[in-house]
Amino acid sequence: MDQITVAGHPDPIPASPVAATLLQQRLEAARETRGAAAADNLESLVGARIGELLAEGMHSIDLATMRSLVDFVETPVEEEDTSGLGRMVQGIRDKAAQRGKRTMS
């Protein structure tokens, strides 16, 4: 197990060697393609999320966890949290309103 440090989390974090390598590669790639500010932001977001995972009881970071973090931590949160069924019902309501029909509440 390696110990990694990331911005956004003050303590060293136990991580598998491949997870540590993946994080380093993604940070370097972000720095090269999007600049230092983007890489710093990515590192802060990853560190904050790792802190949350450790607080929830995770003992160390493995490759799968690190991959999900570096791939999805920058994904913006959707404003409207509706399921597929919720979107379908909203679509039906919108079509009914366009046709001048009363909508179900």
Side-chain angles (χ1 to χ4, degrees), residues 3-69:
Q3 296 283 328
I4 61 172
T5 57
V6 290
H9 191 274
D11 300 321
I13 302 158
S16 71
V18 284
T21 301
L22 176 64
L23 175 61
Q24 188 61 34
Q25 289 172 349
R26 294 295 172 94
L27 291 175
E28 288 175 12
R31 192 166 279 111
E32 289 174 5
T33 59
R34 298 184 291 158
D40 292 343
N41 183 51
L42 175 62
E43 185 177 6
S44 294
L45 291 171
V46 168
R49 183 65 183 127
I50 286 174
E52 292 171 6
L53 292 172
L54 293 175
E56 293 173 359
M58 185 172 277
H59 300 288
S60 64
I61 305 301
D62 61 3
L63 177 61
T65 302
M66 185 62 76
R67 182 174 289 143
S68 68
L69 287 172

